[in-house]
């Protein structure tokens, strides 16, 4: 069983893969954001493109989105989310999710941090209102102890929290 890239305690098959198959299962914007992260981590470019709001015209940026999915996505941390009860989530049309995502470029030992506050809006897709990614605002981490990028030693613990050394985990 493969753990879900989104960082939940569930397997991929019982978590984000379900939303990849049926996006209407994302009741909260955070669920869609996690599924989008997992789509980038697993190379599911179609899901990433299709879950942009129609006003974003993501199809014209498909190649750039595909390039982002080729990065080695290491770890996701949801900082905050405008979660509501299921009933409130059905009636709300806009939500925000702040997250931190760590990634590395191919053949690199530099760990990068993307810290964003994303805006989601519901949009009619077929017969269903579905959450869609609109845009995001990058958060400046220079005021915190987080470093936007840093080198990883081969013998350091892997940043994905596997408990293994980097050389035996994500460096492979």
């Amino acid at each position: 069983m493969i753990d879900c890239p989104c960082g939940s305690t569930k397997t991929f098959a019982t978590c984000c893969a379900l939303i990849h198959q049926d996006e209407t299962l994302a009741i909260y914007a955070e669920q869609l954001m996690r599924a989008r992260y997992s789509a980038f981590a697993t190379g599911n470019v179609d899901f990433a493109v299709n879950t942009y709001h129609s006003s974003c015209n993501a199809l014209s940026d498909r190649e750039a989105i595909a390039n982002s999915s080729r990065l080695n996505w290491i770890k996701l941390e949801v900082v905050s989310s405008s979660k509501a009860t299921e009933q409130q989530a059905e009636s709300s049309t806009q939500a925000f999710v702040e997250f931190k995502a760590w990634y590395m470029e191919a053949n690199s030992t530099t760990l990068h941090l993307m810290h964003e506050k994303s805006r989601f809006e519901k949009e009619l897709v077929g017969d269903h209102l579905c959450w869609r990614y609109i845009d995001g605002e990058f958060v400046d981490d220079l005021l915190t102890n987080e470093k936007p990028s840093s080198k990883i030693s081969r013998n350091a613990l892997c940043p994905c929290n596997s408990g293994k050394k980097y050389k035996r985990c994500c460096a492979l």
Side-chain angles (χ1 to χ4, degrees):
M1 291 203 250
I2 299 171
D3 291 339
C4 192
C6 80
S8 72
T9 56
K10 300 177 183 177
T11 65
F12 179 62
T14 62
C15 190
C16 290
L18 294 173
I19 295 173
H20 289 179
Q21 294 166 6
D22 181 1
E23 63 193 79
T24 64
L25 296 176
I27 297 167
Y28 306 106
E30 180 183 331
Q31 290 171 302
L32 182 67
M33 190 280 308
R34 287 178 174 278
R36 284 176 52 81
Y37 173 86
S38 292
F40 281 101
T42 61
N44 188 344
V45 177
D46 289 336
F47 182 84
V49 169
N50 293 337
T51 54
Y52 272 90
H53 193 274
S54 62
S55 66
C56 297
N57 196 17
L59 202 51
S60 66
D61 293 326
R62 191 180 202 308
E63 189 56 37
I65 295 167
N67 286 339
S68 293
S69 74
R70 292 184 193 107
L71 296 170
N72 184 12
W73 293 96
I74 304 294
K75 177 180 150 185
L76 173 70
E77 174 191 341
V78 175
V79 176
S80 66
S81 173
S82 51
K83 248 186 176 175
T85 65
E86 193 169 326
Q87 185 178 12
Q88 290 169 326
E90 286 180 20
S91 64
S92 64
T93 59
Q94 193 175 78
F96 294 89
V97 180
E98 183 180 344
F99 68 91
K100 293 180 180 182
W102 287 266
Y103 67 93
M104 292 189 302
E105 296 174 2
N107 303 317
S108 172
T109 58
T110 302
L111 182 67
H112 299 277
L113 168 65
M114 182 174 85
H115 187 174
E116 181 179 298
K117 184 174 182 181
S118 298
R119 181 170 57 121
F120 293 84
E121 205 169 274
K122 282 191 177 174
E123 182 173 47
L124 192 60
V125 179
D127 295 333
H128 301 286
L129 276 175
C130 296
W131 286 110
R132 291 289 188 251
Y133 174 79
I134 290 262
D135 56 22
E137 181 179 300
F138 289 110
V139 178
D140 186 5
D141 281 300
L142 298 178
L143 301 176
T144 68
N145 293 331
E146 301 280 354
K147 293 184 181 176
S149 63
S150 58
K151 288 274 189 196
I152 303 172
S153 163
R154 290 181 47 75
N155 288 317
L157 286 177
C158 192
C160 75
N161 292 334
S162 66
K164 298 177 184 177
K165 287 186 178 184
Y166 171 68
K167 67 183 178 185
R168 300 248 185 247
C169 191
C170 290
L172 296 176

